[in-house]
Amino acid sequence: RRPGDILAEIQALVDDGAIEVTLLGQNVNSYGVEFGDRGAFAKLLRACGQTEGLERVRFTSPHPAAFTDDVIDAMAETHNVMPQLHMPLQSGSDKVLKDMRRSYRSKKFLGILDKVRERIPHAAISTDIIVGFPGETEEDFQATLDVVDQSRFASAFTFQYSKRPGTPAAELPEQLPKAVVQERYERLIALQDRIAAEENAKQVGTRVEVMVTAAQGRKASETHRLSGRARDQRLVHFSVPEGGGVPRPGDLVTVTITEAAPFHLIADPAGPAEYTVRRSRAGDAWDRSQAGSCAVPGPGAAQGAKGVSLGMPALPPLPVRPR
């Protein structure tokens, strides 16, 4: 899609009440190749910074082989691009990466992380990892553990390799026994959970801005906490102190982190002085949507307002066969 089309859609979403967007692509770094501008993605990020009312911009997923310094610069220099990066590793073994036909190696991957953290010191970096790819030796797996240890990921999506008929990997020799894959997977999970807990513990005592979400935590009914995402995408469960305003989904609260766990942070303000709410256009849009679902006009609701298209192609209706 051309940049103008994307920016027009973003503007339409913002006009409809959105304050956060995520740019999605199979490999966002290659965006622009089709129309002859290899720097198009960095330019698109910077252009998002010129969209009034757009407060948070995220993107996924980049590819380590094509990740360039201009994107890092755009992230660091554009006020509404969030300090968060999802960078798929897959394996820390150069041999396995070659077998996977991935065109980067662990040294390049770690170099990208170093550059990102140099420009954006508080960036939270997440990743994808596959355990048990055909031919993976214990030495190969240890290389993955080593890279994970060095990378200090805030979170990781971890997967056990599964043989899928018709894929090139399914034809490779040395398919690993399930028990071996499971044991390695458990070691990886233990390491990453420890790192995530340590990285989250560093957040205790810091002030964070949280965008409130509609979905709440599993224990919300017991803890009476609401939930949201910090600028770096960390999940935060927070309580509303007595005398503090109750936010709507889409509003933003600023709180101090009081506790940390591997997969979330907790903020329990001692009083209103440690808690602020900023009502947002997204919260207003939430009110309108709730009122609309009850057939009651919400404040500021436009007569005959229509939803915003997400740029997806229309599909023809399926033929109905007589029975």
Side-chain angles (χ1 to χ4, degrees):
R1 301 177 62 195
R2 301 291 299 199
D5 293 339
I6 296 170
L7 292 169
E9 182 180 323
I10 290 173
Q11 185 63 63
L13 289 166
V14 171
D15 292 344
D16 205 41
I19 61 174
E20 176 175 327
V21 299
T22 299
L23 304 174
L24 300 173
Q26 184 69 23
N27 172 11
V28 294
N29 303 111
S30 64
Y31 175 68
V33 172
E34 297 92 339
F35 47 84
D37 185 357
R38 292 186 176 275
F41 187 66
K43 294 175 184 176
L44 182 62
L45 288 178
R46 292 183 186 276
C48 287
Q50 303 301 313
T51 303
E52 186 174 352
L54 180 60
E55 299 197 26
R56 295 185 173 195
V57 178
R58 306 185 192 278
F59 64 89
T60 194
S61 285
H63 193 292
F67 200 72
T68 50
D69 291 352
D70 63 333
V71 173
I72 299 174
D73 292 339
M75 291 176 64
E77 297 166 8
T78 307
H79 71 97
N80 57 2
V81 175
M82 294 295 95
Q84 173 235 339
L85 178 67
H86 184 76
M87 180 65 70
L89 169 63
Q90 307 302 359
S91 174
S93 163
D94 289 349
K95 171 186 169 294
V96 173
L97 289 172
K98 182 178 179 181
D99 291 344
M100 289 179 172
R101 302 180 183 176
R102 298 185 70 85
S103 54
Y104 60 89
R105 299 296 178 259
S106 58
K107 182 178 180 180
K108 179 178 179 65
F109 183 91
L110 290 168
I112 291 171
L113 269 51
D114 288 343
K115 288 181 180 179
V116 170
R117 286 175 170 144
E118 181 180 351
R119 294 298 316 274
I120 314 169
H122 301 298
I125 300 175
S126 56
T127 196
D128 298 329
I129 303 172
I130 296 173
V131 175
F133 194 80
E136 179 189 78
T137 64
E138 177 61 28
E139 182 180 18
D140 293 325
F141 178 66
Q142 184 59 53
T144 294
L145 296 180
D146 292 343
V147 173
V148 169
D149 195 38
Q150 293 178 67
S151 298
R152 307 295 297 178
F153 296 118
S155 62
F157 297 91
T158 52
F159 307 91
Q160 297 185 37
Y161 166 81
S162 58
K163 186 175 181 179
R164 297 187 180 181
T167 61
E171 305 303 320
L172 291 175
E174 300 180 77
Q175 302 280 331
L176 302 184
K178 168 64 177 176
V180 172
V181 178
Q182 181 67 35
E183 189 273 337
R184 290 178 183 173
Y185 179 77
E186 291 173 2
R187 274 192 282 158
L188 173 62
I189 290 294
L191 173 61
Q192 177 54 40
D193 285 358
R194 175 178 64 79
I195 291 172
E198 292 170 355
E199 292 301 306
N200 276 357
K202 296 176 183 178
Q203 304 297 312
V204 174
T206 63
R207 295 279 286 174
V208 298
E209 180 189 68
V210 178
M211 182 185 292
V212 183
T213 60
Q216 303 304 324
R218 290 183 295 106
K219 299 181 180 179
S221 59
E222 304 167 28
T223 63
H224 305 291
R225 294 188 181 108
L226 302 178
S227 300
R229 293 284 175 176
R231 289 171 60 85
D232 64 8
Q233 193 68 340
R234 283 184 166 93
L235 176 63
V236 180
H237 301 304
F238 65 94
S239 56
V240 177
E242 185 175 351
V246 177
R248 307 161 298 177
D251 286 341
L252 299 114
V253 301
T254 301
V255 289
T256 300
I257 300 303
T258 56
E259 189 178 336
F263 308 118
H264 65 266
L265 302 172
I266 292 175
D268 287 329
E274 297 181 5
Y275 170 88
T276 60
V277 179
R278 177 160 63 89
R279 292 172 68 86
S280 74
R281 295 164 52 261
D284 295 342
W286 171 264
D287 277 348
R288 291 196 300 272
S289 71
Q290 294 300 99
S293 68
C294 299
V296 178
Q303 294 297 320
K306 296 182 179 180
V308 177
S309 165
L310 296 182
M312 300 300 288
L315 297 178
L318 293 175
V320 178
R321 298 182 182 277
R323 300 184 65 179

Short mmCIF file of all heavy atoms in Angstrom, two decimals, residues 75-111:
data_model
loop_
_atom_site.label_atom_id
_atom_site.label_comp_id
_atom_site.label_asym_id
_atom_site.label_seq_id
_atom_site.Cartn_x
_atom_site.Cartn_y
_atom_site.Cartn_z
N MET A 75 12.56 5.62 15.16
CA MET A 75 11.96 5.22 16.43
C MET A 75 12.38 6.16 17.55
O MET A 75 11.55 6.60 18.36
CB MET A 75 12.38 3.78 16.79
CG MET A 75 11.81 2.69 15.91
SD MET A 75 12.47 1.07 16.38
CE MET A 75 11.81 0.88 18.05
N ALA A 76 13.67 6.47 17.59
CA ALA A 76 14.20 7.29 18.67
C ALA A 76 13.76 8.74 18.58
O ALA A 76 13.62 9.42 19.60
CB ALA A 76 15.73 7.21 18.67
N GLU A 77 13.53 9.22 17.36
CA GLU A 77 13.29 10.65 17.15
C GLU A 77 11.83 11.01 16.91
O GLU A 77 11.51 12.20 16.77
CB GLU A 77 14.15 11.12 15.97
CG GLU A 77 15.64 11.00 16.24
CD GLU A 77 16.49 11.14 14.97
OE1 GLU A 77 15.92 11.50 13.92
OE2 GLU A 77 17.71 10.89 15.05
N THR A 78 10.94 10.03 16.87
CA THR A 78 9.52 10.30 16.63
C THR A 78 8.78 10.12 17.95
O THR A 78 8.76 9.02 18.52
CB THR A 78 8.95 9.37 15.55
OG1 THR A 78 9.76 9.46 14.38
CG2 THR A 78 7.52 9.76 15.20
N HIS A 79 8.16 11.17 18.44
CA HIS A 79 7.65 11.21 19.82
C HIS A 79 6.59 10.16 20.11
O HIS A 79 6.49 9.68 21.25
CB HIS A 79 7.08 12.60 20.12
CG HIS A 79 5.78 12.89 19.41
ND1 HIS A 79 4.55 12.71 20.01
CD2 HIS A 79 5.53 13.31 18.14
CE1 HIS A 79 3.60 13.02 19.15
NE2 HIS A 79 4.15 13.39 18.00
N ASN A 80 5.81 9.76 19.12
CA ASN A 80 4.73 8.82 19.41
C ASN A 80 5.03 7.39 18.99
O ASN A 80 4.16 6.53 19.09
CB ASN A 80 3.41 9.29 18.79
CG ASN A 80 3.49 9.49 17.29
OD1 ASN A 80 4.53 9.25 16.67
ND2 ASN A 80 2.40 9.96 16.70
N VAL A 81 6.25 7.11 18.53
CA VAL A 81 6.65 5.72 18.29
C VAL A 81 7.12 5.15 19.62
O VAL A 81 8.03 5.69 20.25
CB VAL A 81 7.75 5.62 17.22
CG1 VAL A 81 8.22 4.18 17.08
CG2 VAL A 81 7.24 6.14 15.88
N MET A 82 6.51 4.09 20.05
CA MET A 82 6.72 3.57 21.39
C MET A 82 8.08 2.88 21.55
O MET A 82 8.61 2.31 20.60
CB MET A 82 5.60 2.59 21.76
CG MET A 82 4.22 3.24 21.86
SD MET A 82 4.07 4.45 23.20
CE MET A 82 4.42 6.00 22.35
N PRO A 83 8.64 2.92 22.77
CA PRO A 83 9.94 2.29 23.04
C PRO A 83 9.81 0.78 23.21
O PRO A 83 10.07 0.22 24.27
CB PRO A 83 10.38 2.97 24.34
CG PRO A 83 9.09 3.26 25.04
CD PRO A 83 8.12 3.62 23.95
N GLN A 84 9.40 0.14 22.14
CA GLN A 84 9.13 -1.29 22.17
C GLN A 84 9.46 -1.86 20.81
O GLN A 84 9.19 -1.24 19.77
CB GLN A 84 7.66 -1.53 22.51
CG GLN A 84 7.22 -2.98 22.42
CD GLN A 84 6.03 -3.16 21.48
OE1 GLN A 84 5.30 -2.22 21.20
NE2 GLN A 84 5.84 -4.38 21.00
N LEU A 85 10.09 -3.03 20.79
CA LEU A 85 10.47 -3.66 19.52
C LEU A 85 10.29 -5.17 19.63
O LEU A 85 10.75 -5.79 20.59
CB LEU A 85 11.93 -3.34 19.20
CG LEU A 85 12.51 -3.97 17.92
CD1 LEU A 85 11.83 -3.39 16.69
CD2 LEU A 85 14.01 -3.76 17.85
N HIS A 86 9.62 -5.73 18.63
CA HIS A 86 9.53 -7.20 18.54
C HIS A 86 10.47 -7.63 17.43
O HIS A 86 10.27 -7.32 16.26
CB HIS A 86 8.11 -7.65 18.22
CG HIS A 86 7.98 -9.15 18.23
ND1 HIS A 86 7.93 -9.88 19.40
CD2 HIS A 86 7.91 -10.05 17.22
CE1 HIS A 86 7.82 -11.16 19.09
NE2 HIS A 86 7.83 -11.30 17.78
N MET A 87 11.54 -8.37 17.80
CA MET A 87 12.58 -8.77 16.85
C MET A 87 12.73 -10.30 16.90
O MET A 87 13.31 -10.84 17.84
CB MET A 87 13.90 -8.09 17.20
CG MET A 87 15.05 -8.44 16.27
SD MET A 87 14.80 -7.85 14.59
CE MET A 87 14.98 -6.09 14.81
N PRO A 88 12.19 -11.02 15.92
CA PRO A 88 12.23 -12.49 15.96
C PRO A 88 13.65 -13.04 15.87
O PRO A 88 14.39 -12.71 14.94
CB PRO A 88 11.41 -12.89 14.72
CG PRO A 88 10.56 -11.70 14.41
CD PRO A 88 11.40 -10.52 14.79
N LEU A 89 14.03 -13.86 16.84
CA LEU A 89 15.34 -14.51 16.85
C LEU A 89 15.26 -15.88 16.18
O LEU A 89 16.09 -16.22 15.35
CB LEU A 89 15.82 -14.67 18.29
CG LEU A 89 17.06 -15.56 18.51
CD1 LEU A 89 18.29 -14.97 17.83
CD2 LEU A 89 17.31 -15.77 20.01
N GLN A 90 14.31 -16.69 16.56
CA GLN A 90 14.09 -18.07 16.11
C GLN A 90 15.11 -19.04 16.69
O GLN A 90 14.74 -20.06 17.25
CB GLN A 90 14.04 -18.18 14.58
CG GLN A 90 13.07 -17.25 13.90
CD GLN A 90 11.62 -17.39 14.33
OE1 GLN A 90 11.29 -18.22 15.17
NE2 GLN A 90 10.75 -16.57 13.78
N SER A 91 16.40 -18.76 16.54
CA SER A 91 17.44 -19.62 17.12
C SER A 91 18.70 -18.80 17.33
O SER A 91 18.97 -17.86 16.56
CB SER A 91 17.73 -20.82 16.22
OG SER A 91 18.83 -21.58 16.73
N GLY A 92 19.45 -19.15 18.35
CA GLY A 92 20.74 -18.49 18.58
C GLY A 92 21.89 -19.21 17.93
O GLY A 92 23.03 -18.74 17.98
N SER A 93 21.60 -20.34 17.29
CA SER A 93 22.64 -21.13 16.61
C SER A 93 22.74 -20.71 15.15
O SER A 93 21.75 -20.77 14.41
CB SER A 93 22.30 -22.62 16.70
OG SER A 93 23.05 -23.36 15.76
N ASP A 94 23.93 -20.34 14.72
CA ASP A 94 24.11 -19.96 13.31
C ASP A 94 23.84 -21.14 12.38
O ASP A 94 23.32 -20.97 11.28
CB ASP A 94 25.53 -19.42 13.09
CG ASP A 94 25.73 -18.05 13.73
OD1 ASP A 94 24.72 -17.43 14.15
OD2 ASP A 94 26.89 -17.60 13.81
N LYS A 95 24.19 -22.33 12.82
CA LYS A 95 23.93 -23.52 12.00
C LYS A 95 22.43 -23.72 11.81
O LYS A 95 21.96 -23.98 10.69
CB LYS A 95 24.54 -24.76 12.66
CG LYS A 95 24.13 -26.07 11.99
CD LYS A 95 24.65 -27.27 12.77
CE LYS A 95 24.02 -28.57 12.28
NZ LYS A 95 22.56 -28.63 12.54
N VAL A 96 21.67 -23.60 12.89
CA VAL A 96 20.21 -23.78 12.79
C VAL A 96 19.59 -22.66 11.96
O VAL A 96 18.69 -22.90 11.14
CB VAL A 96 19.57 -23.86 14.19
CG1 VAL A 96 18.04 -23.88 14.08
CG2 VAL A 96 20.06 -25.11 14.92
N LEU A 97 20.06 -21.44 12.14
CA LEU A 97 19.54 -20.33 11.33
C LEU A 97 19.77 -20.60 9.84
O LEU A 97 18.91 -20.33 9.00
CB LEU A 97 20.21 -19.01 11.74
CG LEU A 97 19.80 -18.45 13.10
CD1 LEU A 97 20.67 -17.26 13.47
CD2 LEU A 97 18.32 -18.06 13.11
N LYS A 98 20.95 -21.16 9.53
CA LYS A 98 21.23 -21.50 8.13
C LYS A 98 20.28 -22.59 7.66
O LYS A 98 19.75 -22.52 6.54
CB LYS A 98 22.68 -21.96 8.00
CG LYS A 98 23.09 -22.29 6.57
CD LYS A 98 24.56 -22.70 6.50
CE LYS A 98 24.96 -23.05 5.08
NZ LYS A 98 26.39 -23.48 5.01
N ASP A 99 20.04 -23.61 8.49
CA ASP A 99 19.12 -24.69 8.13
C ASP A 99 17.69 -24.15 7.95
O ASP A 99 16.93 -24.67 7.13
CB ASP A 99 19.13 -25.78 9.20
CG ASP A 99 20.44 -26.56 9.23
OD1 ASP A 99 21.21 -26.47 8.24
OD2 ASP A 99 20.69 -27.25 10.25
N MET A 100 17.35 -23.13 8.72
CA MET A 100 16.03 -22.49 8.60
C MET A 100 15.94 -21.57 7.38
O MET A 100 14.87 -21.03 7.09
CB MET A 100 15.73 -21.66 9.85
CG MET A 100 15.45 -22.45 11.10
SD MET A 100 15.14 -21.30 12.50
CE MET A 100 14.61 -22.43 13.76
N ARG A 101 17.08 -21.38 6.71
CA ARG A 101 17.17 -20.48 5.56
C ARG A 101 16.91 -19.03 5.94
O ARG A 101 16.36 -18.25 5.18
CB ARG A 101 16.22 -20.93 4.43
CG ARG A 101 16.48 -22.34 3.95
CD ARG A 101 15.52 -22.74 2.84
NE ARG A 101 15.72 -24.14 2.43
CZ ARG A 101 14.98 -24.77 1.54
NH1 ARG A 101 13.97 -24.12 0.96
NH2 ARG A 101 15.21 -26.03 1.23
N ARG A 102 17.35 -18.69 7.15
CA ARG A 102 17.25 -17.31 7.59
C ARG A 102 18.60 -16.63 7.31
O ARG A 102 19.65 -17.17 7.62
CB ARG A 102 16.86 -17.22 9.06
CG ARG A 102 15.48 -17.84 9.30
CD ARG A 102 15.00 -17.67 10.72
NE ARG A 102 14.65 -16.29 11.05
CZ ARG A 102 13.49 -15.72 10.80
NH1 ARG A 102 12.53 -16.40 10.18
NH2 ARG A 102 13.24 -14.49 11.17
N SER A 103 18.53 -15.45 6.74
CA SER A 103 19.72 -14.82 6.17
C SER A 103 20.45 -13.89 7.13
O SER A 103 21.04 -12.90 6.70
CB SER A 103 19.34 -14.06 4.90
OG SER A 103 18.29 -13.15 5.17
N TYR A 104 20.41 -14.17 8.42
CA TYR A 104 21.18 -13.39 9.40
C TYR A 104 21.80 -14.38 10.38
O TYR A 104 21.45 -15.56 10.40
CB TYR A 104 20.29 -12.38 10.14
CG TYR A 104 19.16 -13.06 10.90
CD1 TYR A 104 19.32 -13.50 12.21
CD2 TYR A 104 17.93 -13.28 10.28
CE1 TYR A 104 18.30 -14.15 12.88
CE2 TYR A 104 16.90 -13.92 10.95
CZ TYR A 104 17.09 -14.35 12.25
OH TYR A 104 16.09 -15.01 12.91
N ARG A 105 22.72 -13.89 11.18
CA ARG A 105 23.38 -14.74 12.17
C ARG A 105 23.28 -14.06 13.54
O ARG A 105 22.93 -12.89 13.65
CB ARG A 105 24.84 -15.00 11.77
CG ARG A 105 24.96 -15.73 10.42
CD ARG A 105 24.36 -17.12 10.45
NE ARG A 105 24.41 -17.81 9.16
CZ ARG A 105 23.38 -17.93 8.33
NH1 ARG A 105 22.19 -17.40 8.65
NH2 ARG A 105 23.50 -18.58 7.19
N SER A 106 23.62 -14.78 14.58
CA SER A 106 23.41 -14.29 15.95
C SER A 106 24.18 -13.00 16.22
O SER A 106 23.70 -12.13 16.96
CB SER A 106 23.80 -15.37 16.96
OG SER A 106 25.15 -15.76 16.79
N LYS A 107 25.36 -12.85 15.64
CA LYS A 107 26.15 -11.64 15.87
C LYS A 107 25.41 -10.41 15.35
O LYS A 107 25.38 -9.37 16.01
CB LYS A 107 27.52 -11.76 15.21
CG LYS A 107 28.43 -10.56 15.45
CD LYS A 107 29.79 -10.77 14.81
CE LYS A 107 30.69 -9.55 15.06
NZ LYS A 107 32.05 -9.75 14.44
N LYS A 108 24.83 -10.53 14.16
CA LYS A 108 24.07 -9.41 13.60
C LYS A 108 22.86 -9.09 14.47
O LYS A 108 22.54 -7.92 14.73
CB LYS A 108 23.61 -9.73 12.17
CG LYS A 108 22.79 -8.61 11.52
CD LYS A 108 22.40 -8.95 10.10
CE LYS A 108 21.56 -7.84 9.47
NZ LYS A 108 22.30 -6.58 9.30
N PHE A 109 22.18 -10.14 14.92
CA PHE A 109 21.00 -9.95 15.76
C PHE A 109 21.35 -9.17 17.03
O PHE A 109 20.69 -8.19 17.38
CB PHE A 109 20.40 -11.31 16.12
CG PHE A 109 19.14 -11.24 16.93
CD1 PHE A 109 17.90 -11.20 16.30
CD2 PHE A 109 19.18 -11.19 18.31
CE1 PHE A 109 16.72 -11.11 17.05
CE2 PHE A 109 18.02 -11.11 19.07
CZ PHE A 109 16.79 -11.07 18.43
N LEU A 110 22.40 -9.61 17.72
CA LEU A 110 22.80 -8.94 18.95
C LEU A 110 23.26 -7.51 18.67
O LEU A 110 23.05 -6.61 19.49
CB LEU A 110 23.90 -9.74 19.65
CG LEU A 110 23.45 -11.07 20.26
CD1 LEU A 110 24.65 -11.91 20.66
CD2 LEU A 110 22.54 -10.84 21.46
N GLY A 111 23.88 -7.29 17.52
CA GLY A 111 24.31 -5.96 17.15
C GLY A 111 23.15 -5.00 16.98
O GLY A 111 23.23 -3.81 17.35
#
